[in-house]
Amino acid sequence: MSSSAGVSLPHRAVSNIRAGDRSSSQALPNAPHTPNRPIVSSSFGSPSTLRADDEVIVIELGSRKLRLGFAGDSTPKRIGSFGPEQQRRAGDFRAWEPGYHADWRNRASGKPWGADHELWQLDVRGHNLGLVGDKLERELRDAFTKYLLIDSRPRRVTLIIPPTLPIPLISTVFDTIFYRFQSPSISLLSSPIMSTLAAGTRSGLIIDMGWHETTITAVYEFKEVRTWRTVRAGKLLVKETYEFLTNIIRGRPAMARTERTEDRLEEHVVSFEECEEVATRMLWCKRPTREPAQDTSEGLPTLHEQDEQDESETVAPADDHSPMSITLNSCCPPKTVDVPFLELAETCEAVFFEPQVSPYYFDDHEVPVHLLAYRALLQLPLDVRAICMSRIIFMGGCSNIIGLKGRIFDEICLLVKERGWDPIRGKGVDQYKENTKLQRGGSRKASEGPVATAAAATTTTTTTTTPAESPSNAEGNEATPPANPAHTPSEVDHVEEMIKKDRNYKPVVQGTLRVLDSLGPWCGASMATQLKIPALATVERELWLQQGANGACRPNEVDVKMQQRQSMGAGGLIRSQASQASNNWTLGVWGAI
């Protein structure tokens, strides 16, 4: 009591009041004291485990390339390729042996052209799908450990695939991700829609110039309207480059078209790697012979800057015959050939355009790219065509060839200028357009149909006209034909114009041909996943392990009304979770193929 009475209560610290009597601690002032701190076990673990639930891995899967990274990033962390080097086993050091690269003919014998550089083929008949899963697993595991630097904790995956991918390949990809990486769910996104989103628009005509085929997809308000395809793509370009180099080595004309069969590729004159290198780095595309009409309605034409030099020194690319040296190390013996610069453009023109052949000669699967794009716009509805033709987006590896995108756009402009938007063509239509008598008789307006002429006949019988008025009216009708009411401009609403001016309203660009640039499908999917935009289809791991691909419903078999009429309360959330756990899950547009 004496020791406690000597201490005044108003001068005691707050810590002493809460801790009670600390006479023993005051007796030992030099004793060290460390306060107890709560230790979180996860703080000393991997930093990636703190955001494992929020991290979503975005994977864009193609037949030859693989792009993957985290959602919200501007660029992928890893762009992988499926080549022969990726298929080497652990401890295989044959690549460093002398003469290994010269023995490429034995390794390529008995295989289709470029089969070692592909992940899959669209024709899955007789295709080893197990090997596809092993290649995909090895590339994904290598990317997770070396480039993404993440642990083995399961993470949600967003998968970007083309809309024409067959279901067996989708099933193989799902089995690889669900069984070997334990992902809780996979969200499916379409590459054309993501390219449209990455371009900053809601609609567009996506021309994807890929490896196996070129697909043209019309997207309207983030929905795929229709898809067209042609085999004129990267694989055909590499084959044509092989024929081009083979003819030069053997002293034949560069564009000789003799015995173009698969058996000629078994000779293996030039390796696949060198053909792809020449096609990627040296080929170019020249402009069309006829220049399209330039639209100068929006203002003056653009003046391109150029260096001030003598005009005699400038040579147009179409007239440049300077030799270009190409070193081919895969030949036996290695050679260096000289190719005129102009001939390097003939290969690209023969693959994608084929101007020397009539359009009626082609089958439906080998139509030239510019003609297929024009037919795609022609078959679209009027309102969808007006929007899509002003938002043409190119994507794919072949679109990086110099001058190819401009050539396709110019050819489309020429077709629109020559043929218009009339789907009917032929000799009868041309004769009808050239005959002025038929045009005058058929140019009456829509209001003068059979019903209108019958009504006019009844009115002429009841009304009395003087003979002097009828010739004048007839002459007036022949001199000034009646105007079409559909072409008359609407009245200007001044109030609406003031509202649009205050809100800085800009009219939607439509009805004119225009090309937009896109950041690519991976960037669009990264942004969509970060913004929590619902995917086209989401597949849970438990449902896939139970049912597989056979458990997916058709898109039209899912009850959309029940999903829309659910409450946000506790009972509504329980019912929605119960409905999601049912069998009503779908693969989206891929399940309807």
Side-chain angles (χ1 to χ4, degrees):
M1 294 296 294
S2 61
S3 62
S4 60
V7 180
S8 60
L9 293 177
H11 298 283
R12 295 179 63 182
V14 178
S15 60
N16 295 332
I17 294 174
R18 292 180 179 178
D21 190 8
R22 295 189 176 181
S23 58
S24 59
S25 62
Q26 293 177 0
L28 299 175
N30 297 327
H33 175 70
T34 302
N36 297 326
R37 298 178 181 178
I39 300 176
V40 182
S41 60
S42 61
S43 61
F44 293 96
S46 175
S48 61
T49 58
L50 300 177
R51 297 178 59 247
D53 297 335
D54 299 334
E55 287 177 347
V56 181
I57 300 176
V58 182
I59 302 176
E60 180 189 355
L61 197 59
S63 59
R64 294 196 58 191
K65 296 290 184 179
L66 176 70
R67 295 177 175 87
L68 73 164
F70 295 111
D73 294 348
S74 58
T75 56
K77 297 291 185 181
R78 167 64 172 167
I79 302 178
S81 60
F82 303 94
E85 297 298 327
Q86 189 258 358
Q87 303 176 21
R88 290 192 299 112
R89 297 182 179 181
D92 187 2
F93 301 105
R94 291 180 298 172
W96 288 271
E97 293 182 358
Y100 175 80
H101 297 284
D103 196 27
W104 61 270
R105 291 178 178 84
N106 295 331
R107 297 191 299 269
S109 61
K111 299 180 181 179
W113 177 252
D116 293 337
H117 300 264
E118 300 173 349
L119 178 60
W120 68 63
Q121 298 178 1
L122 293 179
D123 188 4
V124 297
R125 295 174 296 181
H127 198 46
N128 190 359
L129 297 180
L131 181 59
V132 174
D134 294 339
K135 289 182 180 179
L136 180 61
E137 180 195 4
R138 183 168 186 174
E139 186 62 33
L140 288 177
R141 199 173 298 278
D142 184 63
F144 288 168
T145 55
K146 292 183 179 180
Y147 298 94
L148 270 65
L149 302 178
I150 58 177
D151 54 8
S152 59
R153 177 172 296 188
R155 287 169 173 80
R156 293 184 292 118
V157 173
T158 298
L159 191 61
I160 314 165
I161 54 178
T164 57
L165 195 66
I167 293 181
L169 292 176
I170 296 178
S171 179
T172 302
V173 174
F174 275 37
D175 290 339
T176 302
I177 297 177
F178 280 141
Y179 282 96
R180 303 180 184 180
F181 296 96
Q182 308 297 322
S183 297
S185 64
I186 296 179
S187 302
L188 293 179
L189 295 176
S190 178
S191 54
I193 297 180
M194 293 299 101
S195 298
T196 307
L197 178 63
T201 180
R202 303 171 62 91
S203 307
L205 188 72
I206 314 300
I207 302 178
D208 186 2
M209 309 180 71
W211 172 249
H212 287 290
E213 59 184 6
T214 296
T215 58
I216 299 178
T217 307
V219 178
Y220 184 73
E221 295 296 330
F222 293 136
K223 295 181 181 179
E224 298 178 8
V225 180
R226 190 175 174 183
T227 301
W228 299 264
R229 63 183 69 181
T230 177
V231 297
R232 299 183 179 275
K235 192 172 186 177
L236 184 60
L237 180 64
V238 176
K239 286 183 179 180
E240 196 71 24
T241 307
Y242 173 84
E243 296 287 342
F244 175 77
L245 296 176
T246 303
N247 292 333
I248 293 176
I249 292 173
R250 296 180 177 178
R252 293 196 299 261
M255 299 305 295
R257 300 294 187 88
T258 58
E259 300 180 5
R260 284 186 57 190
T261 59
E262 293 290 338
D263 297 337
R264 293 202 56 189
L265 298 178
E266 297 295 334
E267 301 175 3
H268 299 298
V269 179
V270 187
S271 64
F272 178 87
E273 291 81 0
E274 285 193 348
C275 291
E276 186 181 19
E277 186 77 9
V278 173
T280 304
R281 302 184 62 181
M282 301 198 68
L283 295 187
W284 63 284
C285 187
K286 58 185 178 181
R287 302 297 295 267
T289 56
R290 298 171 297 170
E291 293 294 333
Q294 298 180 356
D295 187 10
T296 59
S297 58
E298 297 183 358
L300 297 176
T302 305
L303 180 61
H304 300 280
E305 297 182 359
Q306 57 184 0
D307 297 336
E308 296 180 359
Q309 56 183 353
D310 190 6
E311 296 181 357
S312 60
E313 298 179 0
T314 60
V315 180
D319 300 332
D320 191 0
H321 294 273
S322 58
M324 305 294 295
S325 298
I326 302 177
T327 303
L328 303 175
N329 296 320
S330 60
C331 296
C332 186
K335 294 182 180 180
T336 300
V337 295
D338 294 334
V339 183
F341 181 74
L342 182 60
E343 293 185 2
L344 292 174
E346 296 178 358
T347 303
C348 185
E349 186 172 359
V351 171
F352 294 103
F353 302 101
E354 203 83 26
Q356 293 82 11
V357 183
S358 175
Y360 302 101
Y361 174 78
F362 304 110
D363 292 336
D364 293 339
H365 66 279
E366 57 179 7
V367 181
V369 178
H370 67 286
L371 186 58
L372 185 64
Y374 171 74
R375 291 180 180 179
L377 291 173
L378 197 60
Q379 295 174 10
L380 290 176
L382 187 61
D383 53 347
V384 179
R385 182 202 306 164
I387 295 295
C388 291
M389 67 184 297
S390 300
R391 295 159 180 84
I392 301 177
I393 302 173
F394 290 92
M395 55 178 289
C398 294
S399 62
N400 297 325
I401 297 177
I402 298 176
L404 182 57
K405 294 187 288 186
R407 172 67 181 275
I408 294 175
F409 180 74
D410 292 342
E411 292 288 348
I412 295 174
C413 294
L414 285 174
L415 290 174
V416 172
K417 180 182 177 182
E418 294 175 357
R419 304 180 185 180
W421 301 109
D422 189 5
I424 303 175
R425 297 182 65 250
K427 295 182 179 180
V429 179
D430 297 338
Q431 293 177 2
Y432 174 78
K433 292 180 180 179
E434 294 175 358
N435 196 340
T436 57
K437 296 181 180 180
L438 296 177
Q439 288 182 355
R440 181 178 299 175
S443 62
R444 63 183 182 180
K445 59 183 180 180
S447 60
E448 294 181 358
V451 179
T453 53
T458 55
T459 55
T460 52
T461 55
T462 55
T463 57
T464 58
T465 56
T466 58
E469 294 177 355
S470 57
S472 61
N473 293 335
E475 293 176 0
N477 291 334
E478 292 181 0
T480 57
N484 192 351
H487 297 161
T488 57
S490 59
E491 297 181 358
V492 179
D493 190 353
H494 298 283
V495 178
E496 188 71 21
E497 293 294 331
M498 291 295 297
I499 294 175
K500 291 181 179 179
K501 186 177 180 180
D502 294 339
R503 296 181 178 179
N504 196 13
Y505 172 78
K506 295 182 180 180
V508 180
V509 180
Q510 60 180 359
T512 58
L513 291 171
R514 188 183 61 167
V515 177
L516 295 182
D517 291 333
S518 176
L519 296 177
W522 192 92
C523 296
S526 176
M527 180 171 55
T529 306
Q530 184 71 13
L531 296 176
K532 309 296 183 182
I533 297 177
L536 295 179
T538 301
V539 184
E540 301 294 335
R541 182 175 181 271
E542 290 76 10
L543 294 178
W544 181 266
L545 296 182
Q546 293 175 4
Q547 305 169 3
N550 296 326
C553 301
R554 298 284 183 178
N556 54 0
E557 295 177 1
V558 180
D559 191 0
V560 184
K561 297 181 181 179
M562 293 299 296
Q563 295 179 1
Q564 293 178 353
R565 296 178 181 178
Q566 60 185 7
S567 175
M568 294 305 295
L573 292 176
I574 294 175
R575 287 193 297 269
S576 63
Q577 293 176 0
S579 63
Q580 291 178 1
S582 62
N583 294 331
N584 284 343
W585 63 281
T586 173
L587 288 175
V589 295
W590 295 272
I593 298 177

